[in-house]
Amino acid sequence: MRILIRQDTTYRYEGPANYSVQALRLVPLGHAGQTVLSWRVAALPAGRIRESRDAYGNVLQMLYLDQLHEALTISVAGEVETSDTGGIVAGTAEPLPPLFFLRQTELTAPDAAIRALAAAAKAASDGTPIDLAHRLMDAVRDGVDYRIGETHAATTAAEALAHGYGVCQDHTHVFLSAARHLGLPARYVSGYLWFEGDTEYEASHAWAEACIDGLGWVGFDVANRICPTAAHVRVACGLDYLEASPVRGRRRGGGEETLKVRLKVDAGAAQQ
């Protein structure tokens, strides 16, 4: 399948800012099941971009803008050819050992409710890591309804489960928290998802990956109760949202800001 992506992320300020720095994790890499055909990241106003790799092997672009500006638009345009691998992730850069991904963060720290959810999923499983991961995916999705606009970037896994609602970011954080509590290495993944019949989206997507004995890293899209398919485009990974966030930065001046995201994800036929 060929996935076409166009995204504009625009920040507008109530007054002029005189400096901005943004960490961009917006460039996907090729691996088994994913070939990047073309990809471009641009900013308006144009600033200086320095590209490197972060500790997780993601492409990290640092955008520096040191002129007066009342708005900043970061644009992405690209095409990726994908195939279904049954959720198994292979051929990715892996600079860190799986055990590193047992670390909890402030966003994934488990509370009594998450520990209870994890224990129930373990008791219901057949004892294998792959069945446990699937049981966790269903348990988290049962416990956290999908609602847009009710949570935010700083919502923790414990808060999302207590509320009983959230978005893909929250589903992923709860899954990570419970999996790590049970000794299953797990990480946060940011990317894109295409749904048949839809092309306009409010935001990019997020899911989890767990390291399964005998299989390696396997994806779990908790929000949709599936392992990632050819409709998923994997971009970046980390311990939580903050470490895999597509755009994260700071600025000097400007006052209050508003954010608008325009995202189009479409699919065409695979190359012959």
Side-chain angles (χ1 to χ4, degrees):
M1 179 183 292
R2 183 179 293 184
I3 307 292
L4 297 87
I5 296 163
R6 303 290 185 272
Q7 182 174 8
D8 292 322
T9 302
T10 301
Y11 298 91
R12 297 191 183 278
Y13 315 126
E14 63 178 0
N18 57 28
Y19 181 79
S20 293
V21 57
Q22 301 286 341
L24 311 179
R25 291 176 175 85
L26 291 167
V27 179
L29 293 169
H31 56 81
Q34 178 171 297
T35 300
V36 181
L37 303 177
S38 65
W39 201 266
R40 180 175 180 268
V41 177
L44 185 66
R48 294 178 291 116
I49 295 181
R50 294 182 180 177
E51 185 170 302
S52 63
R53 296 289 185 94
D54 69 11
Y56 301 99
N58 305 313
V59 175
L60 172 62
Q61 295 176 312
M62 296 301 300
L63 169 63
Y64 302 94
L65 191 58
D66 54 4
Q67 58 181 284
L68 289 175
H69 55 287
E70 294 186 359
L72 172 62
T73 296
I74 300 166
S75 299
V76 171
E79 297 183 36
V80 180
E81 190 170 306
T82 62
S83 59
D84 194 339
T85 62
I88 297 175
V89 181
T92 52
E94 298 295 346
L96 297 170
L99 289 180
F100 177 85
F101 295 95
L102 287 174
R103 294 180 59 185
Q104 300 283 14
T105 70
E106 289 186 9
L107 288 175
T108 69
D111 64 356
I114 289 177
R115 290 191 288 269
L117 180 149
K122 183 177 182 179
S125 75
D126 64 8
T128 63
I130 187 65
D131 187 61
L132 173 59
H134 280 283
R135 298 279 185 175
L136 276 177
M137 177 167 64
D138 285 337
V140 173
R141 191 61 181 84
D142 287 343
V144 182
D145 189 27
Y146 187 87
R147 294 191 203 173
I148 296 173
E150 301 286 348
T151 56
H152 48 79
T155 300
T156 67
E159 289 169 341
L161 183 58
H163 293 327
Y165 52 74
V167 293
C168 57
Q169 172 184 304
D170 304 299
H171 294 126
T172 303
H173 280 154
V174 179
F175 179 95
L176 298 180
S177 180
R180 292 169 183 167
H181 172 69
L182 293 173
L184 190 63
R187 62 192 181 190
Y188 188 104
V189 177
S190 62
Y192 298 96
L193 173 61
W194 171 74
F195 281 109
E196 186 173 1
D198 292 333
T199 58
E200 302 288 340
Y201 299 85
E202 293 189 359
S204 55
H205 195 49
W207 58 93
E209 289 174 355
C211 193
I212 306 296
D213 290 343
L215 294 174
W217 288 102
V218 179
F220 294 89
D221 182 347
V222 182
N224 294 295
R225 297 182 188 263
I226 59 173
C227 289
T229 68
H232 290 71
V233 174
R234 184 184 191 274
V235 177
C237 71
L239 285 173
D240 58 22
Y241 164 78
L242 293 177
E243 297 194 340
S245 175
V247 181
R248 185 183 178 197
R250 299 180 68 88
R251 59 183 163 82
R252 187 167 58 223
E256 295 295 322
E257 73 177 27
T258 59
L259 171 65
K260 182 178 181 180
V261 178
R262 297 183 60 187
L263 173 61
K264 183 175 182 179
V265 183
D266 207 349
Q271 287 183 321
Q272 300 298 319

